[in-house]
Amino acid sequence: MVPGNDSQLAPLRAAAEAFCRSLAPVLEAEPTLQVQGMPSDGDSREIYRRMGEAGWIGLHWPRELGGQGLSFLETAAVEEVFGYHWLPLSPYLLSCRTVGNALLRFGSREQVETLIPRICRGELTFCQGFSEPEAGSDLAALKTTARPVSGGFLVRGHKIWTSSAHIADWIYLAVRTDPEAPKHRGLSVFVLPMDTPGITVRTFPTMGGGLLAEVFLDEVFVPASARVGPLNEGWKVMLYTLDFERITIEKVGALRWVLDELERWLQEQDPSGPWRWTLWHLQGALEVARQLCYEAAARLAHGKDASVGSAMAKLAVGRLTRRIASAALDLLGIPGLAEAGPHALLQGRVAALYRAAIGSTISGGTAEIQRLVIARRGLKCPNGR
Ligand SMILES: Cc1cc2nc3c(=O)[nH]c(=O)nc-3n(C[C@H](O)[C@H](O)[C@H](O)COP(=O)(O)OP(=O)(O)OC[C@H]3O[C@@H](n4cnc5c(N)ncnc54)[C@H](O)[C@@H]3O)c2cc1C
């Protein structure tokens, strides 16, 4: 059985559905969210705050830290529901799914005890400063450096494509702490407030309808206590963080909504049309991608290495996002291009999804990089160097 199909998850899913429905007035009041092509890219501090207030952040984290003591599989099931209801999830995914889980594994006791409860309450959001202008796929080539000084480090560098940086309270930052070491061995990860002197954020719009940011770090002082995990061993912290990021089950939820609504619309237009075949193919492919997400989530839930599984999930979901966006727009025809107004079909989301879908095979590591992870780590193919 697919872990995500466990019938015991049904009551939790129903509760998550009810919570999402209760947020409808808030979503309607934030018109900028309507043009967002993928819920995972949407920025809303208000939705994040309400998620925390209602206890939906950190479901699988310990109760004494503000979580609900559930399993990561249960969290994944809820995230699928959040995606189905098109919640703007970027602050949640960065702070809880990605950074929070890594903090729980590698953070100091002080970091865990001060930061995790604030994430659970929806008070504290993170952005993730990994990518740089010349270090995306080759992440270990990053050049932002942290130079040791009395009591800590001075950080200098430039991050790019940083989601939610303009609304984040803190940044989860990958830096080079040993410039002499081989590139994977001289990295460390730090957490620091975004209002630390020397940090500047510059946003730019994306095709997907939201904003990404550049983060400039100019002689930013970071105390030694801000390090996450051992000095110069940041690479393993970063890989673990990416394993969580790549379980893109919330995108599966959003794609399911698109297929459900598309079927409803096509049924009204042409009940016996040949569109059924296209839809069945897409529904089948989506179920495969969904299973890959849940299999990877199950591995993480049991404390197992999920690098290959989460790369498979990310690859499948990313490619399928593009395929579904394209096929759905073909089936809707020209009217599907309207994103707003009384004639917009499926709330204009398909056209918006089409714009955002390109990013789905880039963010969190491109499709080519996921294939390399699967080949090298999964199939043990030689490096070729
Ligand atoms: C919507 C969105 C949100 C993002 N959010 C964040 C964020 O919050 N934080 C963050 O740190 N980053 C973020 N990123 C950045 C993302 O992780 C990088 O864009 C991605 O890793 C690719 O890096 P790059 O853009 O430098 O492309 P490059 O690495 O320059 O790649 C260019 C092309 O070359 C291909 N390529 C590169 N190396 C190889 C290889 N060895 N074999 C085969 N092909 C290869 C790539 O697949 C790609 O097609 C985000 C990106 C997007 C689109």
Side-chain angles (χ1 to χ4, degrees):
M1 183 182 61
V2 185
N5 287 354
D6 187 337
S7 58
Q8 289 182 357
L9 293 170
L12 183 65
R13 282 204 171 96
E17 300 261 351
F19 170 67
C20 291
R21 278 194 293 274
S22 77
L23 294 175
V26 187
L27 289 170
E28 277 160 26
E30 291 202 47
T32 53
L33 298 174
Q34 306 303 321
V35 294
Q36 194 70 60
M38 244 305 159
S40 47
D41 298 335
D43 281 317
S44 168
R45 283 295 298 242
E46 180 55 15
I47 294 290
Y48 181 73
R49 190 188 67 73
R50 288 182 186 240
M51 288 168 90
E53 195 178 69
W56 289 101
I57 301 180
L59 288 179
H60 59 289
W61 292 346
R63 285 183 181 278
E64 59 274 22
L65 292 171
Q68 304 292 334
L70 303 183
S71 75
F72 185 58
L73 264 181
E74 287 166 304
T75 293
V78 167
E79 289 173 352
E80 189 182 358
V81 174
F82 287 167
Y84 192 91
H85 286 264
W86 225 266
L87 296 193
L89 286 176
S90 182
Y92 166 85
L93 293 170
L94 286 160
S95 312
C96 176
R97 158 102 73 71
T98 308
V99 177
N101 283 314
L103 275 178
L104 268 181
R105 164 94 179 261
F106 292 103
S108 66
R109 191 169 164 181
E110 189 197 344
Q111 285 165 347
V112 167
E113 287 178 358
T114 56
L115 301 175
I116 295 290
R118 293 179 63 203
I119 295 175
C120 287
R121 292 196 294 271
E123 291 170 8
L124 178 70
T125 63
F126 269 92
C127 60
Q128 176 180 282
F130 280 10
S131 305
E132 298 184 1
E134 288 171 48
S137 300
D138 189 8
L139 188 53
L142 63 85
K143 293 196 180 104
T144 296
T145 44
R147 216 172 64 244
V149 292
S150 169
F153 297 84
L154 275 184
V155 178
R156 190 173 182 79
H158 175 192
K159 297 290 174 179
I160 194 166
W161 320 119
T162 321
S163 303
S164 303
H166 57 298
I167 61 161
D169 302 303
W170 282 52
I171 184 165
Y172 182 74
L173 188 69
V175 296
R176 184 162 302 286
T177 35
D178 183 355
E180 307 300 326
K183 65 180 181 180
H184 293 89
R185 302 232 178 96
L187 303 172
S188 301
V189 174
F190 289 88
V191 281
L192 58 151
M194 287 297 278
D195 59 4
T196 307
I199 298 183
T200 313
V201 175
R202 190 164 70 198
T203 58
F204 54 93
T206 70
M207 271 175 70
L211 294 173
L212 283 177
E214 290 180 88
V215 179
F216 300 90
L217 301 120
D218 185 12
E219 300 293 301
V220 176
F221 177 74
V222 185
S225 60
R227 206 181 62 238
V228 179
L231 186 67
N232 297 328
E233 290 182 32
W235 187 241
K236 72 173 179 202
V237 180
M238 292 160 74
L239 291 185
Y240 183 75
T241 312
L242 289 171
D243 287 349
F244 278 95
E245 182 177 356
R246 290 173 178 165
I247 298 182
T248 38
I249 188 69
E250 74 292 343
K251 284 196 171 79
V252 170
L255 295 175
R256 168 82 53 212
W257 181 90
V258 169
L259 295 185
D260 284 357
E261 293 300 310
L262 190 60
E263 184 168 18
R264 213 186 315 272
W265 184 80
L266 290 164
Q267 190 72 39
E268 282 169 15
Q269 308 300 311
D270 180 10
S272 56
W275 53 266
R276 287 177 174 281
W277 291 97
T278 308
L279 215 63
W280 286 335
H281 280 281
L282 295 174
Q283 282 164 341
L286 185 58
E287 186 56 23
V288 172
R290 178 173 177 267
Q291 290 198 29
L292 289 172
C293 291
Y294 276 108
E295 293 293 346
R299 289 191 69 80
L300 285 169
H302 294 110
K304 294 184 183 159
D305 174 53
S307 54
V308 175
S310 57
M312 287 184 182
K314 173 77 181 58
L315 178 63
V317 176
R319 287 181 55 80
L320 198 56
T321 304
R322 293 174 74 154
R323 192 171 147 207
I324 288 182
S326 175
L329 210 48
D330 279 349
L331 287 167
L332 292 174
I334 300 284
L337 290 172
E339 288 191 27
H343 302 297
L345 300 177
L346 275 62
Q347 303 180 34
R349 284 178 180 168
V350 171
L353 178 68
Y354 189 80
R355 286 189 283 102
I358 289 177
S360 69
T361 52
I362 301 175
S363 61
T366 65
E368 289 75 20
I369 294 307
Q370 308 312 324
R371 288 193 193 97
L372 284 180
V373 171
I374 295 162
R376 287 186 187 151
R377 301 190 74 170
L379 303 173
K380 312 287 181 216
C381 294
N383 228 337
R385 286 187 190 147

